[in-house]
Amino acid sequence: MSALLTPARAASPSPAPSESETAPAMPTLQDAHESATNAASWVEQNWSTWLAIGLRVLLIIAIAVVLRVMIRRAITKLIERMNRTAQAVDGTAIGGLLVNVERRRQRSQAIGSVLRSVASFLILGTAALMILSTFQINLAPLLASAGVAGVAIGFGARNLVTDFLSGVFMILEDQYGVGDTIDAGVASGEVIEVGLRVTKLRGDNGEIWYVRNGEVKRVGNLSQGWATAGVDVTVRPSEDLDRVKAVLGRVGEEMSKEEPWNETLWGPIEILGLDSVLLDSMVVRVTAKTMPGKALTVERELRWRIKRAFDAEGIPLVGGLPLQPPVEADPDPTATMSAPSAFASTTSPQSTAAAPIAPPSVTK
């Protein structure tokens, strides 16, 4: 009997699952406890690493900021010391050999700006790379990309880079400054502004030239050191040279003792002697060492004084060829004559035909 009932029980369908059995199981308090325990253990295992990374990043930032402030302050003090040195020598004899206060101030500001920018770029860039390496970021692709980008930018803006580097070295080497009169090859004039890329010059006629620093191949500075004023005095070859020399020496001595020429002249006015001797004239050369940029002014004043002194001594100056009176050309004797005519010849057929008929001869 039990054997007969067994297959029937096996063939009977199983009951359908209830709604509560098909729904997802709700997290229990034990599951939440296990998750919190796992998170706490993970944090406990990694908090020391996070703390070390954070402290390292803060230390890098603090060192970079402190180092940047210290270097910028040191650069500022250096620039202020340069300005004080320029103010101390301004107005003295050695101040003429050096640059003036405005030029030193602008030069020092330009140098300070370049140094501060370079220092900030190096310090902050190094700090950024150290922070990225702290987070275990591979810097090789970044550095390679930066190198390729730098090469591409360098090729594209090579003229700009050349102008910038040339401007930096011009300022550092003090080749010229504001107020100097220079000959830059492509243009000449007085420097009114020196930049890292462009130098501005004012020409003799008032025009302003913008010269790129990279295009300047050579520079002639007419305002550094000292200048030479030279005057050529031309007299007749029959003049007494000792007398001429005495007059020129007296003029130079008087000019050297008067203001403001005693500060403009940096040496005595020298009479070099005869520069040339010709049949109708001879040239005496007079020179003087002057303050930079004052040679033309000294030459004009020296010519003025020499002319007045020579007029007072009765020594005439000779210059160029004497003026010749205009020579009138001899009149052309044939200008009033008419062209030759056939009637001028008494034997020509025209004259014969036009001659009056002679009266018949009377025979006796």
Side-chain angles (χ1 to χ4, degrees), residues 329-338:
D330 295 335
D332 188 4
T334 61
T336 58
M337 297 176 60
S338 60

Side-chain angles (χ1 to χ4, degrees), residues 112-135:
S113 177
V114 172
L115 292 179
R116 282 190 288 265
S117 300
V118 172
S120 299
F121 176 77
L122 293 177
I123 293 173
L124 297 181
T126 304
L129 293 178
M130 293 178 66
I131 291 174
L132 292 178
S133 63
T134 302
F135 288 102

Side-chain angles (χ1 to χ4, degrees), residues 21 32 72 74 103-104 123 152 166-167 175 189 206-207 244 247 257 264 275 292 308 320 337 355:
E21 292 179 355
R72 290 175 67 91
R103 171 180 171 181
R104 290 293 294 266
I123 293 173
S166 300
Q175 298 180 6
E207 69 275 10
V244 172
V247 174
K257 294 180 180 179
T264 305
D275 192 64
R308 293 179 60 183
M337 297 176 60

Side-chain angles (χ1 to χ4, degrees), residues 71-113:
I71 292 180
R72 290 175 67 91
R73 185 172 299 177
I75 294 173
T76 303
K77 289 184 177 180
L78 177 62
I79 299 305
E80 292 177 354
R81 182 176 300 178
M82 292 174 60
N83 292 333
R84 286 196 300 268
T85 304
Q87 294 176 0
V89 300
D90 185 57
T92 60
I94 195 173
L97 295 173
L98 301 177
V99 291
N100 53 29
V101 176
E102 181 64 20
R103 171 180 171 181
R104 290 293 294 266
R105 185 186 63 82
Q106 293 192 5
R107 176 172 173 260
S108 60
Q109 287 183 354
I111 295 175
S113 177

Side-chain angles (χ1 to χ4, degrees), residues 74-340:
I75 294 173
T76 303
K77 289 184 177 180
L78 177 62
I79 299 305
E80 292 177 354
R81 182 176 300 178
M82 292 174 60
N83 292 333
R84 286 196 300 268
T85 304
Q87 294 176 0
V89 300
D90 185 57
T92 60
I94 195 173
L97 295 173
L98 301 177
V99 291
N100 53 29
V101 176
E102 181 64 20
R103 171 180 171 181
R104 290 293 294 266
R105 185 186 63 82
Q106 293 192 5
R107 176 172 173 260
S108 60
Q109 287 183 354
I111 295 175
S113 177
V114 172
L115 292 179
R116 282 190 288 265
S117 300
V118 172
S120 299
F121 176 77
L122 293 177
I123 293 173
L124 297 181
T126 304
L129 293 178
M130 293 178 66
I131 291 174
L132 292 178
S133 63
T134 302
F135 288 102
Q136 297 181 356
I137 296 177
N138 189 10
L139 300 179
L142 180 62
L143 295 177
S145 302
V148 173
V151 172
I153 294 174
F155 276 110
R158 58 185 180 275
N159 291 332
L160 181 62
V161 175
T162 302
D163 297 339
F164 180 80
L165 294 178
S166 300
V168 170
F169 282 106
M170 285 180 180
I171 293 175
L172 293 177
E173 296 173 359
D174 192 20
Q175 298 180 6
Y176 54 81
V178 176
D180 288 350
T181 301
I182 67 171
D183 182 4
V186 293
S188 60
E190 181 182 356
V191 180
I192 59 177
E193 184 179 342
V194 179
L196 294 176
R197 194 183 68 87
V198 174
T199 298
K200 294 171 65 175
L201 304 176
R202 185 175 296 278
D204 297 334
N205 298 324
E207 69 275 10
I208 296 180
W209 299 95
Y210 294 86
V211 182
R212 287 171 41 197
N213 296 328
E215 294 181 350
V216 179
K217 303 302 180 184
R218 52 94 175 159
V219 178
N221 196 325
L222 307 179
S223 300
Q224 285 186 351
W226 45 268
T228 302
V231 175
D232 292 333
V233 182
T234 307
V235 296
R236 295 180 302 186
S238 59
E239 293 292 339
D240 187 2
L241 289 177
D242 294 334
R243 184 186 176 194
V244 172
K245 184 176 181 181
V247 174
L248 292 176
R250 184 172 66 252
V251 170
E253 185 178 358
E254 293 176 355
M255 184 174 176
S256 301
K257 294 180 180 179
E258 296 180 4
E259 293 183 356
W261 309 111
N262 54 356
E263 296 181 357
T264 305
L265 293 171
W266 286 5
I269 297 178
E270 300 178 357
I271 304 172
L272 300 182
L274 285 176
D275 192 64
S276 64
V277 178
L278 303 176
L279 293 176
D280 56 350
S281 64
M282 57 182 179
V283 179
V284 180
R285 182 73 173 176
V286 180
T287 61
K289 185 180 294 185
T290 68
M291 184 182 296
K294 300 296 182 179
L296 185 59
T297 305
V298 172
E299 290 176 359
R300 291 171 178 170
E301 181 66 18
L302 193 57
R303 291 191 186 98
W304 182 282
R305 291 172 178 263
I306 291 174
K307 179 63 170 65
R308 293 179 60 183
F310 276 27
D311 290 344
E313 295 291 335
I315 302 176
L317 294 175
V318 180
L321 297 176
L323 296 177
Q324 300 291 339
V327 179
E328 297 181 358
D330 295 335
D332 188 4
T334 61
T336 58
M337 297 176 60
S338 60

